[in-house]
Amino acid sequence: MKIFNSFTNQLEDFVPVHPGKVNMYICGPTVYNYIHIGNARPVIFFDTVRRYFEHRDFEVTFASNFTDVDDKIITKAIELETTEQELAEKFITAFLNDVEKVGSMTDYIKPRVTDYMDKIIVYIQTLIDKGYAYKSEGDVYFRVGKIDDYGQLSNRNIDDLISGARIEVNDKKENPLDFTLWKKTDVGITFDAPFGRGRPGWHTECVAMIDNIFGEEIDIHGGGSGLLFPHHENEIAQAEALHGHHVAKYWMHNGLLNFGGGKMSKSDGNVILVKDLTIDPNVFRLFTLSTHYRSPINFTDDVLDNYQTEWDKIYRVYKQLYLKLDLADQLYGNAKIDPDLLLIYKDFLAAMDQDFNTPNAITALQDLVKKTNQLLRTKTDFEVLLSAKKLFDDFFDVFGLKTGLQPLSKDDKDLYHKWNEARTNKDFDTADELRNLLQEKGIL
Ligand SMILES: [Zn+2]
């Protein structure tokens, strides 16, 4: 299995820290707003990564944080005359609803900054004790100059960074690149620390949480490409200072979702919120996973129609297959793999093993649709049909697609058989009546 490691900029063999286990951490949202469909891309993609590792029998520990202490939250809480906690609580619930809405799993470890405050403070204090951080007028800064290969992840060198216009001038810092670990403030929610009252900077929370949840270097740290610098670079600097490792063996970054030709941004107002999406989550997942995760996705209003058609095609064939097996009471029998089906499965694995090439893996799903159509048209053993169904189920599991199909009740099966009987006997009136009934029940 190969993963493109953003740290080395290379495709590398995936060798987990502990055989058979995968520890992964994804930077989560700052909870002061609803997420838009661009934010949903990592939510869908890294969920698919988890699902694939689980399909390959890895034991996965998946963590993703909530940033519930942040300037944006404080500003908005003041604006809305509410507390930071209430605001955060509201948008944590909203986020998890959206995660569920796009078909991603919600049963993962969800650390919050407020729950990890003691640990974040200890982390910062340790950096100070070891000389990697310093206090300045109540703030605490990280001493970037002490990290030899700072800039390695984002491929920037220190001189370029210093001359870069984006670095703010701040007399309190020894070096313009030094970043804030703790900010002295009396606006909004604040916490007591040995180095003064204030609140933590954003870059420490993830490393402190990873340290406490996993206790060592993890396998995969992921997030959107926008987090590469400075957030992830600064996470690495801190882990290197304390532990001499780079937080994760593999760094993975997903590309942006562009909207109407430009980057989707809240300030432009050209956003579609996940909560406002009216399409089938299966369609949205197919759309998201049909582009390789490192490439940008261009979203246009009509693009989803194509994926609706695509999903309808997949669903129709699967439903026929399911119904045929169910009516013959063969949903749970023995499966017999056909050589063509085996080839399709191998293509799927090869695609996913090559840096999670979901577009190619979806092609394997489309091949399965074609093959199943053939199988349904010819006289095929139930064992082979069942193995086609199992393959569908595996693919659906990894992509996070749901059909919601349930085995028919005995009454419904009887109804179906009566319809068939009426057709065979050319009793068209009864057949029509029964067909309408079956359609009403969603069986046909
Ligand atoms: Zn983070």
Side-chain angles (χ1 to χ4, degrees), residues 33 47 246 282 296 302 346 419 433:
N33 223 333
D47 173 73
H246 298 135
N282 295 314
D302 51 356
K346 283 185 173 165
W419 172 60
E433 207 177 292

Coordinates of all heavy atoms in Angstrom, one line a residue, residues 33 47 246 282 296 302 346 419 433:
N33 N -19.4 28.4 13.3 CA -20.1 28.6 12.1 C -20.5 27.2 11.5 O -20.0 26.2 11.9 CB -19.2 29.3 11.0 CG -20.0 30.4 10.3 OD1 -21.2 30.3 10.2 ND2 -19.3 31.4 9.8
D47 N -12.7 9.9 6.1 CA -13.6 8.8 6.6 C -13.5 7.6 5.7 O -13.5 6.4 6.1 CB -15.1 9.4 6.5 CG -16.1 8.3 6.8 OD1 -16.3 7.9 7.9 OD2 -16.8 7.9 5.8
H246 N 8.2 13.8 14.0 CA 7.4 14.8 13.2 C 5.9 14.6 13.3 O 5.2 14.8 12.4 CB 7.8 14.6 11.7 CG 9.3 14.9 11.4 ND1 10.1 14.1 10.6 CD2 10.1 15.9 11.9 CE1 11.3 14.6 10.6 NE2 11.3 15.7 11.4
N282 N -25.4 9.9 -1.0 CA -24.6 9.0 -1.8 C -24.1 9.7 -3.0 O -23.0 9.5 -3.5 CB -25.5 7.9 -2.3 CG -25.9 7.0 -1.1 OD1 -25.1 6.6 -0.3 ND2 -27.2 6.7 -1.0
P296 N -7.6 19.5 -7.1 CA -8.7 20.3 -6.8 C -10.0 19.8 -7.4 O -10.0 19.1 -8.4 CB -8.4 21.7 -7.4 CG -7.3 21.4 -8.4 CD -6.6 20.1 -8.0
D302 N -24.5 22.2 -12.1 CA -25.0 21.0 -12.8 C -24.2 19.7 -12.6 O -24.6 18.7 -13.0 CB -25.3 21.3 -14.2 CG -24.0 21.9 -14.9 OD1 -23.0 22.1 -14.1 OD2 -24.0 22.1 -16.1
K346 N -9.8 -7.0 -7.5 CA -8.3 -6.8 -7.5 C -8.1 -5.3 -8.1 O -7.2 -4.7 -7.6 CB -7.6 -7.8 -8.4 CG -7.4 -9.1 -7.7 CD -6.6 -10.1 -8.5 CE -6.3 -11.3 -7.7 NZ -5.8 -12.4 -8.6
W419 N -47.9 -11.5 -7.9 CA -47.8 -10.7 -9.1 C -47.2 -11.5 -10.2 O -47.7 -11.4 -11.4 CB -46.9 -9.5 -8.7 CG -46.6 -8.6 -9.9 CD1 -47.4 -8.0 -10.8 CD2 -45.3 -8.3 -10.4 NE1 -46.7 -7.3 -11.7 CE2 -45.4 -7.5 -11.5 CE3 -44.0 -8.7 -10.0 CZ2 -44.3 -7.0 -12.3 CZ3 -42.9 -8.2 -10.7 CH2 -43.0 -7.4 -11.8
E433 N -52.7 -4.3 -10.7 CA -53.1 -3.9 -9.4 C -51.9 -4.2 -8.4 O -51.5 -3.4 -7.6 CB -54.3 -4.7 -9.0 CG -55.2 -4.1 -8.0 CD -56.4 -4.9 -7.8 OE1 -57.3 -5.0 -8.7 OE2 -56.5 -5.5 -6.7

